[in-house]
Amino acid sequence: MSAQSYQFSHAITRRPAASIVQGLRAVDTGAPSLDLMLQHHVDYVAALRSTGATVVELAAMEAFPDSVFVEDTALCLPQGAVVMRPGAPTRLGEAALMAPHLTALYEQVLHITGPDSFIEGGDILTTETEILIGRSARTNAAGIAELADLVARWGHQVREVITPPGVLHFKTDCSLLDAETILATARLDASGCFDGYKVIHTAEGEEACANAIRFNNLVLMPAGFPRTLEKLQMAGFRVQVIGNSECAKLDGGMSCLSLRFSPPVPR
Ligand code: CIR
């Protein structure tokens, strides 16, 4: 079976800006420390690079407090990329600013354009066989329909699912671990959206670590979730733990911090 949903030659990240203290959050648990977030970000980029991938690190963008969370700006597929239309008004401009970095690597870069279409990358889980998209407070039916239409030309099938109420993004509660295995919270798995996949549940009380990433030979997961870490190790995954305390204050996790892809023709 192919492994294009978790084997990648490239990633794009963006350094956190000092304006991160104004980043969006559902619940205010205190201001994030930029210094500590920068240290965690260095560890994160180093982990991606340690797998042999090329990591394009973009400069901080003060005008966009949440711009470190690059995942929400685009969907990157083997054939091309699609620039999103984030549902958070303060994040709408971030997507257009990602486009030139994608056109530098991809021949085909498409855009979500419908004025009523909203969609963020955090709601999109690409597996080996389909693209699951969670309808959420940030991603609506029009956005999902427009994306489904765009990616059909590349042979991708989209399945609309539901992000649980009160959960920021679909992938806040799940991650792809390999071609057939998903890490998910029990609450999301209970919706039945992963029928046909093998599912590993986060340990009870450790739901906040469901947002991990499989990147080449590594699974990156946030620090502080020992029982889920053990479950993943017991299942045979090579896990690298990364500090995420500061991004977590802004509802961000491992997937949010990168776009991961293999452009068809490296330029
Ligand atoms: C936001 O609310 O948009 C940011 N504070 C967090 C975005 C996290 N992104 C992601 O899960 N893909």
Side-chain angles (χ1 to χ4, degrees):
M1 189 179 267
S2 64
Q4 60 187 23
S5 56
Y6 59 93
Q7 298 288 351
F8 305 107
S9 62
H10 286 67
I12 295 179
T13 61
R14 186 181 288 287
R15 283 170 73 80
S19 59
I20 191 74
V21 290
Q22 284 140 29
L24 298 172
R25 65 208 80 175
V27 178
D28 197 350
T29 57
S33 153
L34 177 63
D35 284 348
L36 186 51
M37 190 183 287
L38 280 165
Q39 279 178 39
H40 292 161
H41 202 259
V42 166
D43 294 343
Y44 180 87
V45 170
L48 298 181
R49 283 207 174 110
S50 76
T51 71
T54 299
V55 181
V56 178
E57 272 196 276
L58 304 178
M61 276 198 311
E62 292 297 340
F64 293 97
D66 284 296
S67 54
V68 66
F69 302 118
V70 287
E71 174 179 68
D72 296 316
T73 65
L75 172 66
C76 295
L77 294 167
Q79 302 83 0
V82 183
V83 178
M84 299 287 106
R85 237 178 93 70
T90 57
R91 304 201 58 194
L92 203 48
E94 281 174 41
L97 291 167
M98 182 56 74
H101 303 294
L102 296 169
T103 48
L105 292 160
Y106 275 109
E107 272 168 23
Q108 295 194 70
V109 176
L110 309 176
H111 296 255
I112 300 289
T113 55
D116 299 323
S117 300
F118 294 103
I119 182 161
E120 297 191 354
D123 278 314
I124 306 177
L125 182 76
T126 304
T127 78
E128 219 49 41
T129 52
E130 60 179 344
I131 300 175
L132 285 81
I133 311 184
R135 208 195 288 194
S136 73
R138 300 284 183 87
T139 294
N140 64 13
I144 297 172
E146 191 173 337
L147 183 77
D149 187 48
L150 290 176
V151 301
R153 74 194 63 190
W154 297 326
H156 292 280
Q157 286 207 343
V158 163
R159 176 156 63 100
E160 182 176 323
V161 289
I162 297 293
T163 298
V167 173
L168 175 61
H169 287 130
F170 184 65
K171 276 190 302 195
T172 304
D173 266 28
C174 66
S175 320
L176 185 80
L177 293 174
D178 63 24
E180 57 197 20
T181 316
I182 307 267
L183 171 68
T185 60
R187 71 184 162 200
L188 179 59
D189 188 26
S191 73
C193 63
F194 299 127
D195 287 356
Y197 291 90
K198 185 174 156 198
V199 181
I200 298 177
H201 287 167
T202 51
E204 208 180 323
E206 294 192 351
E207 288 75 11
C209 73
N211 182 271
I213 54 169
R214 173 72 189 272
F215 190 82
N216 298 329
N217 59 335
L218 286 182
V219 172
L220 272 61
M221 73 172 281
F225 302 94
R227 286 174 297 128
T228 307
L229 170 63
E230 194 183 338
K231 276 188 174 204
L232 295 180
Q233 287 172 330
M234 294 292 285
F237 294 102
R238 188 169 154 211
V239 185
Q240 181 147 351
V241 163
I242 305 281
N244 191 56
S245 55
E246 307 316 292
C247 287
K249 292 174 184 168
L250 302 165
D251 310 319
M254 295 293 108
S255 77
C256 324
L257 294 170
S258 59
L259 288 167
R260 303 163 294 279
F261 56 101
S262 305
V265 185
R267 298 193 205 165

